[in-house]
Amino acid sequence: MKKNSQKKNRLYSFLKGFFYLPGKILFPTVVIGKRNVPKGKHVAIANHLKWTDIVLMVLFVPGYRHILGKKELSKNKFLNFICKKLEVIFVDRGAADISSIRTTVNYLKKDEAVALFPEGTRNRVDESVQDVKAGAVMFAVKGEAPILPIVIHAKSRFFHRNYMMIANQFDFSEYYGQRLTPDILAEGADKMANILKLSKQILDFAVTNGEIKKLISI
């Protein structure tokens, strides 16, 4: 695959095209920063507020990504079939899942993109960014790929305007080729969390104070 090419998945493209208009009607969503999406490999990370977050990401963020999902989804035969066709990466959250790690890194090395919610679970308490896990750091370093932060303003509701912001990408190139120690992983996870929190604060302020147009123009 050529450098900076954009991997496509036929089913993903079909579903995205088929559900885009209904999705836009049900979840009218303003996405800020689409120009920040790289065409090549990257690790997209987002805060997780509701099950519909994945729908918003698929429909309204440009490009195709291998989504990391919990292994429990594979127990449903229909979901398992669809997810395999979409090349979803199932992760066993209760163990050191070497297979999913290897699969994720291999996709990145082939210049393909992946997406995950590094908080590990939905925030059922409020809409703040929770502590994040270091898995995305490991993927980004081993796959030598940039991190693309995506923040969602609030829990999406039917027929209510939703807001998402794609922030500037960053990387952990200073760690490429190094052994990933617990300290490095913790430092990387803190950096990811801080960037997600800051990005969400910027988006929340713009939405609350009616300054979305100013944010879009930056």
Side-chain angles (χ1 to χ4, degrees):
M1 184 173 290
K2 294 180 180 180
K3 190 71 174 175
N4 292 329
S5 60
Q6 187 69 51
K7 158 90 179 193
K8 292 186 178 180
N9 176 288
R10 289 184 179 180
L11 180 59
Y12 189 99
S13 298
F14 170 77
L15 293 175
K16 187 166 186 168
F18 187 83
F19 288 108
Y20 180 82
L21 185 56
K24 196 74 172 175
I25 294 171
L26 291 173
F27 300 104
T29 302
V30 175
V31 181
I32 300 155
K34 288 184 179 181
R35 64 184 180 276
N36 292 328
V37 178
K39 292 187 179 299
K41 64 182 178 182
H42 59 274
V43 180
I45 61 172
N47 59 316
H48 200 10
L49 301 173
K50 199 174 180 181
W51 68 269
T52 49
D53 296 341
I54 188 62
V55 177
L56 301 185
M57 182 184 290
V58 170
L59 292 181
F60 305 125
V61 177
Y64 165 70
R65 293 163 194 84
H66 299 277
I67 298 166
L68 277 74
K70 57 185 180 181
K71 191 176 181 179
E72 289 83 351
L73 293 174
S74 65
K75 294 179 180 179
N76 181 294
K77 290 184 179 181
F78 177 73
L79 282 179
N80 183 54
F81 174 78
I82 295 297
C83 286
K84 283 187 175 181
K85 291 294 183 181
L86 294 173
E87 298 179 86
V88 168
I89 304 167
F90 288 123
V91 179
D92 185 349
R93 298 182 296 177
D97 195 338
I98 302 301
S99 175
S100 65
I101 294 172
R102 185 180 296 114
T103 299
T104 304
V105 172
N106 284 341
Y107 279 134
L108 292 169
K109 288 182 176 180
K110 291 191 294 182
D111 203 38
E112 299 177 27
V114 301
L116 67 151
F117 298 100
E119 293 164 298
T121 187
R122 284 175 285 170
N123 187 340
R124 302 176 188 275
V125 179
D126 54 32
E127 294 179 340
S128 63
V129 176
Q130 305 175 86
D131 291 338
V132 305
K133 302 185 185 305
V137 180
M138 179 172 53
F139 300 145
V141 173
K142 290 185 176 295
E144 297 188 358
I147 299 277
L148 183 69
I150 301 171
V151 288
I152 301 164
H153 167 61
K155 294 179 181 180
S156 56
R157 293 186 293 163
F158 290 120
F159 307 114
H160 282 75
R161 190 173 300 280
N162 304 287
Y163 296 91
M164 298 176 66
M165 185 174 76
I166 304 168
N168 293 321
Q169 63 181 3
F170 64 96
D171 61 45
F172 294 111
S173 55
E174 65 270 28
Y175 302 135
Y176 291 173
Q178 293 188 35
R179 176 177 170 272
L180 289 175
T181 64
D183 286 344
I184 288 177
L185 290 172
E187 183 179 333
D190 286 343
K191 181 176 180 179
M192 284 195 308
N194 289 335
I195 288 175
L196 283 175
K197 289 175 181 178
L198 177 59
S199 299
K200 190 171 186 303
Q201 287 172 4
I202 292 171
L203 177 60
D204 291 350
F205 180 86
V207 173
T208 303
N209 293 278
E211 297 187 358
I212 281 295
K213 289 184 178 180
K214 290 183 180 180
L215 188 58
I216 293 173
S217 66
I218 295 176

